[in-house]
């Protein structure tokens, strides 16, 4: 994957599949560190399974034997001078996090966060997503619960609404970046 | 700067359109993009966003863009499945943004399947 925001989309999709009703995505840039945290209240995993998910020869899907999303993120984090961690409790939820050294030569660009969040929003059903993006002391929070409050009976995955959400996130991410190219 | 409060205006505009739409009998057309790890790596995200853009821009009511996991043919990703009510499913393979635009203008708007990108054509 060429952009970290694609890995973010891929990992957050695991939370949707785990039937989470709340997914919290936090992307933080501070000093020389870029941090991702994806926290959900989905089905979780037991200890034995959790131990295996970072191994590329594990997945619960039947179409293909190899689940690559988690091993891929782990590899990219470690190659970028960062770390990967995943904690989970069956019936409670899962938290996946990864860090990357901002100036590391192997760190992929962050890419388009808004495109990734919008793709997730269409998949939420009645669940919610909180996306928090901060760069040094600037911070932007996008919460689908606030969007739903304004939408009343209009579905959130209506294309016109999705385009609006994407533009909103794009603008705010850019402002939060403060001219920094991440 | 855009804020969530602006959604209210869009919603009010849509609500007035929905009253008109409810009178028509058409079912909903669905465009489904495969977005598991394999699809995302192959470029499904820009395809998805292009489809959303085109549907919104052309104001196509009753067309929904959704996503699915692995559609089972990783090498042929990005894959877009089109479900038009009353018609058989059409599967487009190795779609990019340009192809996505053609799928909307030729298939969804004009009702002509874009034969060049079908699963049955040579890969
Ligand atoms: N947030 C999560 N909640 C519950 N289970 C998860 C979560 N993330 C990953 N898993 C489990 O770990 C497996 C491997 O995930 P991943 O590496 O992303 O590959 P894939 O999603 O293609 O199976 C998933 O199939 C799922 O069973
Ligand atoms: Mg996955």
């Amino acid at each position: 994957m060429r952009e970290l925001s694609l890995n973010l989309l891929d990992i957050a999709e695991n939370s949707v599949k785990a039937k989470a009703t709340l997914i919290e995505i936090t992307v933080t840039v501070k000093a020389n560190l870029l941090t991702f945290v994806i926290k959900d209240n989905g089905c979780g995993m037991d200890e034995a399974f959790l131990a295996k998910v970072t191994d590329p020869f594990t997945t619960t899907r039947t179409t293909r034997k190899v689940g690559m999303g988690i091993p891929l993120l782990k590899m990219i984090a470690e190659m970028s001078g960062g770390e990967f961690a995943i904690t989970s409790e069956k019936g409670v939820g899962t938290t996946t996090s990864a860090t990357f050294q901002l100036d590391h030569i192997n760190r992929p660009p962050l890419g388009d966060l808004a495109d990734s969040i919008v793709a997730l929003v269409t998949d939420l059903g009645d669940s919610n997503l909180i996306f928090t993006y901060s760069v040094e002391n600037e911070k932007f929070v996008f919460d689908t619960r606030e969007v739903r409050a304004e939408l009343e009976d209009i579905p959130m995955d209506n294309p016109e609404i999705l385009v609006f959400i994407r533009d909103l996130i794009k603008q705010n991410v850019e402002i939060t970046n403060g001219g920094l190219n991440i | 700067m855009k804020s969530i409060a602006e959604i209210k205006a869009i919603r009010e505009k849509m609500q007035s359109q929905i009253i008109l739409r409810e009178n028509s009998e058409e079912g909903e057309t669905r465009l489904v993009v495969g977005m598991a790890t394999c699809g995302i790596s192959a470029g499904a995200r820009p395809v998805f966003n292009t489809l959303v853009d085109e549907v919104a821009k052309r104001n196509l009511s009753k067309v929904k863009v959704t996503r699915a996991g692995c559609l089972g043919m990783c090498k042929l990703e990005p894959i877009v499945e089109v479900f038009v009510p009353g018609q058989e499913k059409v599967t487009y393979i190795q779609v990019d943004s340009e192809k996505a635009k053609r799928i909307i203008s030729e298939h969804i708007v004009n009702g002509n399947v874009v034969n060049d990108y079908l699963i049955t054509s040579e890969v």
Side-chain angles (χ1 to χ4, degrees):
Chain A
M1 297 208 198
R2 290 171 296 269
E3 296 178 7
L4 291 176
S5 56
L6 292 172
N7 296 97
L8 193 73
L9 168 60
D10 184 40
I11 296 299
E13 188 54 33
N14 288 339
S15 303
V16 175
K17 269 192 290 187
K19 302 264 182 284
T21 56
L22 186 64
I23 304 169
E24 292 167 81
I25 298 179
T26 311
V27 177
T28 310
V29 177
K30 191 113 199 168
N32 192 30
L33 212 61
L34 171 62
T35 307
F36 278 8
V37 181
I38 297 126
K39 179 171 183 267
D40 70 57
N41 61 355
C43 66
M45 292 169 267
D46 60 37
E47 249 173 79
F49 193 78
L50 185 63
K52 288 191 287 185
V53 294
T54 50
D55 171 349
F57 296 98
T58 305
T59 184
T60 53
R61 274 197 297 105
T62 47
T63 43
R64 212 168 31 118
K65 282 280 171 291
V66 184
M68 285 306 299
I70 290 173
L72 199 61
L73 179 63
K74 180 173 189 279
M75 190 187 77
I76 295 169
E78 287 169 356
M79 271 174 29
S80 307
E83 286 168 17
F84 171 87
I86 182 164
T87 58
S88 191
E89 196 180 330
K90 195 119 187 132
V92 177
T94 303
T95 302
T96 309
S97 60
T99 60
F100 313 85
Q101 265 176 38
L102 216 53
D103 66 359
H104 199 288
I105 189 158
N106 292 331
R107 181 187 66 85
L110 192 47
D112 207 321
L113 287 166
D115 279 9
S116 288
I117 300 297
V118 159
L120 276 168
V121 161
T122 40
D123 222 14
L124 285 177
D126 292 330
S127 300
N128 283 295
L129 171 80
I130 306 172
F131 167 59
T132 305
Y133 182 59
S134 60
V135 178
E136 299 301 335
N137 297 320
E138 290 297 318
K139 185 167 166 180
F140 163 63
V141 181
F142 170 79
D143 188 335
T144 56
R145 291 172 301 191
E146 289 173 26
V147 175
R148 287 187 203 279
E150 297 291 340
L151 278 173
E152 297 181 356
D153 56 338
I154 301 283
M156 195 162 59
D157 62 357
N158 175 294
E160 203 173 329
I161 299 296
L162 291 178
V163 169
F164 176 83
I165 290 174
R166 192 177 57 210
D167 290 346
L168 174 107
I169 296 174
K170 245 177 213 163
Q171 265 189 6
N172 282 283
V173 163
E174 214 174 291
I175 289 163
T176 309
N177 281 342
L180 219 62
N181 193 2
I182 304 163
Chain B
M1 191 169 62
K2 283 188 193 303
S3 83
I4 282 179
E6 286 172 59
I7 288 177
K8 185 165 177 274
I10 304 175
R11 184 238 307 159
E12 282 166 356
K13 191 194 81 191
M14 282 181 183
Q15 280 168 332
S16 64
Q17 289 171 346
I18 277 174
I19 296 163
L20 293 174
R21 228 182 284 160
E22 273 167 2
N23 296 325
S24 78
E25 292 286 288
E26 285 168 80
E28 187 176 74
T29 291
R30 280 188 310 128
L31 295 151
V32 181
V33 184
M35 282 180 106
T37 309
C38 47
I40 294 171
S41 309
R45 192 189 65 182
V47 167
F48 177 87
N49 276 279
T50 301
L51 292 171
V52 168
D53 271 333
E54 291 294 306
V55 171
K57 209 161 66 189
R58 291 159 182 272
N59 209 350
L60 303 173
S61 57
K62 301 241 176 184
V63 178
K64 203 159 219 178
V65 186
T66 61
R67 31 193 322 249
C70 182
L71 295 174
M73 300 171 285
C74 304
K75 277 198 216 120
L76 307 181
E77 301 271 5
I79 295 176
V80 177
E81 293 179 338
V82 179
F83 298 87
V84 178
Q87 291 176 24
E88 246 176 80
K89 172 180 94 175
V90 176
T91 303
Y92 292 109
I93 55 168
Q94 296 173 334
V95 179
D96 58 19
S97 288
E98 284 314 302
K99 291 183 182 183
K101 285 182 188 164
R102 271 190 71 190
I103 291 167
I104 296 289
S105 64
E106 297 180 27
H107 188 165
I108 306 302
V109 176
N110 291 326
N112 303 317
V113 174
V114 189
N115 291 307
D116 311 7
Y117 319 145
L118 292 183
I119 183 87
T120 46
S121 60
E122 257 177 71
V123 181

